[in-house]
Amino acid sequence: MEDKFLKSAGEELRRKGYKLTGPRLAIISYLAGEKGHPDMQEILEGLRSEYPAIGMATVYRTVDLLLELGILRAVTLKNNHLRYEVNRSGDHHHHLVCRGCGQIIEFGSCNFQLMAREIEKVTRFRIEEHSLEAYGLCPHCLPGSEDHSTEKI
Amino acid sequence: MEDKFLKSAGEELRRKGYKLTGPRLAIISYLAGEKGHPDMQEILEGLRSEYPAIGMATVYRTVDLLLELGILRAVTLKNNHLRYEVNRSGDHHHHLVCRGCGQIIEFGSCNFQLMAREIEKVTRFRIEEHSLEAYGLCPHCLPGSEDHSTEKI
DNA sequence: CTATCTGCAAAGATTTTGCAGCGTA
DNA sequence: TACGCTGCAAAATCTTTGCAGATAG
């Protein structure tokens, strides 16, 4: 399953005429195996163990390329910088961000399509994609619980 | 109406023990009178005419303060940096971002509340706020029209 | 009057770019 | 083999901080 995503990402690179290099594979497989939503710095650090020679410039260039190809997706969960996740097809989800511990929960249910059709009728805009984040408090951080601020972003 | 927002923003500052200074008023009234969604640089430039002596550091510090107080709100419309708008109470809206010309249309209809209650039941999260952006093509940029890339962000 | 706020300039981060050598196709 | 890709280091941006003088309350 992880294999399948990696394989198709590799094919997508090839198809568009890009080379399938070590850093590219390393970044894709790191993000594919990652539960959280790392930022550029965290991606670099996460790769160091498997790929000690990699440089920051390569991370920037590679992530930008993978975003363009739709292999990755950017999200702004903490309202001040960008984080990244793999863009598995058929995996339409949104984020629940806890303001207590920073934990992010993904949720899949989304009835925006109905709303979208309505908005398109009124505005004549063609809606192709959307993103939705909800902010609040997770069960641990609700008043009456202790702070468990060690969760994965 | 613009007056009312400015007045209540000023009161909010005072109430929390902050001073009502020139730069603060200038930034609030600039953003209150602005249709678009300027970023830090654009706020600075927009203020220069009315307040030529203002410095970038003050813009950063002031915008951060006004965000904390809830007088402003940050949005990431172009997926790579933050833009700001005034946070008028009772003005719950989202953004339609055109990938052709960059224009942003605000829309108000939003039935997320129903979805939120459902998600809260399942996750035990308490949802306090949410943000939603939809991306696509505006009527001008749909195939068959010319590019009018001069719209306000 | 006093504590806060501002502008400036310097420091610190973050992101981009140029280039010589490496590695994939 | 050839061209694209990488790592490094430098450059360009963007953001934060320290401080002395200005200013709101």
Side-chain angles (χ1 to χ4, degrees), chain A residues 11-151:
Chain A
E11 279 161 14
E12 176 64 6
L13 277 168
R14 284 253 183 68
R15 191 171 332 124
K16 294 275 173 60
Y18 295 102
K19 291 183 177 173
L20 199 47
T21 65
R24 285 172 185 173
L25 277 175
I27 289 177
I28 298 169
S29 70
Y30 168 67
L31 281 166
E34 180 62 35
K35 284 286 168 222
H37 300 83
D39 61 16
M40 292 287 186
Q41 195 59 52
E42 288 163 349
I43 293 173
L44 182 72
E45 283 157 18
L47 287 172
R48 286 288 194 203
S49 60
E50 187 194 337
Y51 210 116
I54 201 164
M56 193 74 232
T58 300
V59 175
Y60 274 99
R61 284 183 289 220
T62 304
V63 168
D64 284 351
L65 174 65
L66 299 176
L67 285 172
E68 255 169 47
L69 297 182
I71 293 168
L72 302 183
R73 172 202 291 158
V75 289
T76 35
L77 302 172
K78 296 302 249 356
N79 237 358
N80 50 15
H81 73 243
L82 292 167
R83 303 183 157 277
Y84 304 90
E85 61 182 15
V86 292
N87 190 13
R88 292 194 161 78
S89 60
D91 164 34
H92 178 66
H93 70 266
H94 300 297
H95 300 96
L96 234 46
V97 182
C98 178
R99 282 175 165 148
C101 63
Q103 167 183 206
I104 312 281
I105 296 178
E106 298 183 352
F107 66 93
S109 63
C110 175
N111 61 9
F112 180 73
Q113 291 314 319
L114 296 91
M115 207 157 108
R117 297 292 82 81
E118 202 47 49
I119 295 166
E120 288 186 322
K121 233 181 282 174
V122 177
T123 61
R124 312 214 145 275
F125 218 92
R126 180 195 292 162
I127 294 176
E128 293 170 341
E129 214 182 320
H130 68 275
S131 83
L132 170 56
E133 287 84 41
Y135 303 88
L137 291 173
C138 75
H140 289 144
C141 295
L142 282 174
S145 303
E146 289 164 44
D147 182 9
H148 292 223
S149 5
T150 45
E151 314 285 346

Side-chain angles (χ1 to χ4, degrees), chain B residues 72-146:
Chain B
L72 302 183
R73 172 203 290 159
V75 290
T76 35
L77 301 172
K78 297 302 251 351
N79 238 359
N80 50 14
H81 74 243
L82 293 167
R83 302 183 158 278
Y84 304 90
E85 62 183 13
V86 291
N87 190 13
R88 291 194 162 77
S89 60
D91 164 35
H92 179 65
H93 69 266
H94 299 299
H95 300 97
L96 235 47
V97 183
C98 177
R99 282 176 165 147
C101 63
Q103 166 182 206
I104 314 278
I105 295 178
E106 299 183 352
F107 66 93
S109 62
C110 174
N111 61 11
F112 180 73
Q113 292 313 319
L114 296 92
M115 207 156 109
R117 298 290 83 81
E118 202 48 50
I119 294 166
E120 289 186 322
K121 234 181 283 174
V122 177
T123 60
R124 313 215 146 274
F125 219 91
R126 179 196 295 162
I127 294 176
E128 294 169 340
E129 215 183 319
H130 67 276
S131 83
L132 170 56
E133 287 84 41
Y135 302 88
L137 291 173
C138 75
H140 289 143
C141 295
L142 282 173
S145 303
E146 289 163 43

Side-chain angles (χ1 to χ4, degrees), chain B residues 17-98:
Chain B
Y18 295 102
K19 292 182 179 175
L20 198 48
T21 65
R24 285 172 185 173
L25 276 175
I27 289 177
I28 298 170
S29 70
Y30 168 68
L31 281 165
E34 181 60 36
K35 284 288 169 220
H37 299 82
D39 60 17
M40 291 287 186
Q41 195 59 51
E42 288 163 348
I43 293 172
L44 182 73
E45 283 157 18
L47 286 172
R48 286 288 193 203
S49 58
E50 188 194 337
Y51 209 116
I54 201 166
M56 193 75 232
T58 300
V59 175
Y60 274 98
R61 284 183 289 219
T62 305
V63 168
D64 285 352
L65 173 65
L66 298 176
L67 285 173
E68 255 169 47
L69 297 182
I71 292 169
L72 302 183
R73 172 203 290 159
V75 290
T76 35
L77 301 172
K78 297 302 251 351
N79 238 359
N80 50 14
H81 74 243
L82 293 167
R83 302 183 158 278
Y84 304 90
E85 62 183 13
V86 291
N87 190 13
R88 291 194 162 77
S89 60
D91 164 35
H92 179 65
H93 69 266
H94 299 299
H95 300 97
L96 235 47
V97 183
C98 177

